[in-house]
């Protein structure tokens, strides 16, 4: 016979397990070191990346179970828009994405203090550079520029009347640049620099030109359904991102990857 106290304990444990929130998060199946490491569907246990470790620690603190789904970026956005996942990172802010999900907001304005981190886009060209870049004068760029489909820089370049060729990956864009099919490539610094390091013999004539095209903050973007049903939890997760940065824990996680990437 089960004693009443033991029965109550079992009920409480079962209730706690049942009440534990589950969060299904998508992020890209390509590498973006040090923010997320490795390729394909797997998530490294030892070095998953700064952003993954940040989310894992916040989830542990808040008692949330996290399940990761690594997919191509555009597929992840589609899954978010159809509520097949609960959140996606890293999502920079734009109005189109705001139509399919929720960003951290404050007084109707995007709250950068609760972002995950900033990243910069740069132009990459084949030497000698076919155009100069001051950081502002897009009208001087008459050439065809490659960029990964669905990335924020595509919309910016098109707004500035730049001829954009969308590609599926950084490697494809760099190969098109190397063989003269495009005149420049606009990409996230960490991701493109990684490919240049991995393929030094193939991309011998490609260089990054400064200053950056733009620097944007990147966020954990929640699906509309998850946010409506778990508003308090979503806000607490964003709040903790700010806390971790202010109390130094984010930098401690980042320091772990310095030697790993050198």
């Amino acid at each position: 016979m089960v004693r009443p106290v033991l029965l109550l304990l079992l009920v409480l444990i079962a209730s706690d397990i049942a009440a534990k929130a589950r969060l299904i998060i998508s992020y890209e199946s390509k590498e973006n070191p040090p923010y997320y490491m490795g390729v394909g569907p797997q998530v490294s246990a030892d070095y998953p990346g700064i952003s993954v470790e940040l989310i894992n620690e916040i989830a542990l603190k808040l008692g949330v179970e996290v399940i990761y789904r690594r997919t191509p970026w555009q597929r992840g956005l589609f899954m978010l828009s159809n509520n097949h996942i609960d959140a996606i990172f890293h999502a920079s802010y734009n109005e189109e994405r705001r139509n399919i999900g929720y960003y951290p907001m404050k007084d109707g304005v995007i709250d950068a203090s609760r972002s995950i981190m900033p990243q910069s886009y740069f132009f990459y060209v084949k030497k000698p550079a076919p155009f100069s870049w001051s950081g502002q004068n897009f009208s001087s760029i008459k050439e065809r520029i490659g960029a990964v489909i669905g990335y924020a820089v595509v919309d910016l370049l098109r707004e500035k009347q730049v001829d954009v060729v969308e590609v599926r990956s950084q490697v494809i864009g760099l190969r098109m640049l190397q063989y003269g099919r495009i005149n420049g490539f606009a990409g996230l610094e960490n991701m493109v620099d990684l490919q240049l390091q991995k393929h030094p013999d193939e991309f011998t004539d490609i260089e990054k030109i400064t200053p950056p095209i733009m620097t944007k903050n990147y966020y954990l973007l929640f699906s509309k359904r998850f946010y409506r049903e778990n508003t308090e939890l979503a806000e607490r997760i964003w709040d903790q991102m700010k806390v971790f940065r202010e109390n130094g824990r984010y930098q401690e996680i980042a320091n772990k990857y310095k030697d790993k990437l050198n």
Side-chain angles (χ1 to χ4, degrees), residues 97-108:
R97 291 175 192 160
R98 192 175 177 185
N99 289 332
I100 66 171
Y102 281 92
Y103 289 94
M105 308 294 288
K106 183 177 181 180
D107 300 325

Side-chain angles (χ1 to χ4, degrees), residues 198-236:
K198 282 187 170 182
H199 306 278
D201 296 331
E202 182 176 3
F203 303 134
T204 54
D205 299 322
I206 294 177
E207 65 178 351
K208 176 171 55 182
I209 58 176
T210 56
I213 303 168
M214 62 178 177
T215 299
K216 297 177 73 72
N217 288 304
Y218 288 80
Y219 301 87
L220 181 64
L221 177 65
F222 286 103
S223 72
K224 289 203 165 185
R225 183 171 66 188
F226 183 87
Y227 185 84
R228 284 195 301 266
E229 295 176 356
N230 304 274
T231 302
E232 182 180 353
L233 175 59
E235 293 289 341
R236 290 178 68 195

Side-chain angles (χ1 to χ4, degrees), residues 1-261:
M1 182 175 179
V2 180
R3 294 182 179 180
V5 174
L6 179 58
L7 180 61
L8 177 61
L9 180 61
L10 292 172
V11 169
L12 290 174
I13 292 173
S15 299
D16 182 65
I17 292 172
K20 188 174 185 179
R22 186 178 72 168
L23 182 59
I24 302 175
I25 301 178
S26 174
Y27 68 100
E28 255 194 306
S29 50
K30 297 193 281 288
E31 279 189 295
N32 183 6
Y35 303 110
Y36 45 85
M37 311 291 285
V39 297
Q42 299 302 315
V43 180
S44 168
D46 297 323
Y47 289 95
I50 297 171
S51 297
V52 179
E53 292 203 32
L54 172 69
I55 291 169
N56 286 345
E57 288 202 19
I58 291 172
L60 182 63
K61 182 175 181 179
L62 299 181
V64 177
E65 177 190 4
V66 177
I67 299 172
Y68 292 105
R69 299 276 188 265
R70 297 195 71 176
T71 65
W73 180 245
Q74 282 292 95
R75 187 183 303 168
L77 289 175
F78 175 81
M79 292 166 66
L80 186 84
S81 68
N82 288 279
N83 296 301
H84 296 156
I85 57 173
D86 300 318
I88 190 171
F89 69 88
H90 304 119
S92 61
Y93 179 85
N94 65 40
E95 290 299 324
E96 182 179 352
R97 291 175 192 160
R98 192 175 177 185
N99 289 332
I100 66 171
Y102 281 92
Y103 289 94
M105 308 294 288
K106 183 177 181 180
D107 300 325
V109 178
I110 189 71
D111 186 357
S113 72
R114 296 192 289 169
S115 65
I116 297 176
M117 80 319 185
Q119 287 190 109
S120 295
Y121 283 93
F122 282 83
F123 283 120
Y124 293 80
V125 297
K126 185 176 179 181
K127 295 181 283 189
F131 59 88
S132 59
W133 172 241
S134 66
Q136 296 181 339
N137 188 16
F138 287 92
S139 62
S140 67
I141 303 173
K142 307 299 184 184
E143 295 80 2
R144 302 173 78 217
I145 303 297
V148 174
I149 185 171
Y151 280 25
V153 73
V154 173
D155 290 337
L156 173 69
L157 294 176
R158 288 199 166 133
E159 286 172 7
K160 302 298 183 181
Q161 307 302 310
V162 175
D163 183 9
V164 180
V165 178
E166 292 185 84
V167 299
R168 294 195 308 274
S169 70
Q170 288 80 16
V171 170
I172 291 173
L174 290 171
R175 284 178 178 152
M176 291 176 68
L177 178 60
Q178 182 70 35
Y179 298 113
R181 295 176 59 192
I182 55 177
N183 305 102
F185 183 75
L188 284 169
E189 181 181 28
N190 286 18
M191 299 182 80
V192 180
D193 284 0
L194 174 69
Q195 297 307 323
L196 294 179
Q197 293 165 14
K198 282 187 170 182
H199 306 278
D201 296 331
E202 182 176 3
F203 303 134
T204 54
D205 299 322
I206 294 177
E207 65 178 351
K208 176 171 55 182
I209 58 176
T210 56
I213 303 168
M214 62 178 177
T215 299
K216 297 177 73 72
N217 288 304
Y218 288 80
Y219 301 87
L220 181 64
L221 177 65
F222 286 103
S223 72
K224 289 203 165 185
R225 183 171 66 188
F226 183 87
Y227 185 84
R228 284 195 301 266
E229 295 176 356
N230 304 274
T231 302
E232 182 180 353
L233 175 59
E235 293 289 341
R236 290 178 68 195
I237 290 171
W238 285 326
D239 288 344
Q240 286 300 310
M241 290 182 176
K242 179 179 180 180
V243 169
F244 274 45
R245 203 161 31 247
E246 291 179 345
N247 68 14
R249 180 55 188 152
Y250 182 93
Q251 189 57 51
E252 290 175 359
I253 296 172
N255 289 341
K256 171 181 174 180
Y257 288 85
K258 287 183 178 179
D259 294 336
K260 179 70 176 174
L261 296 176

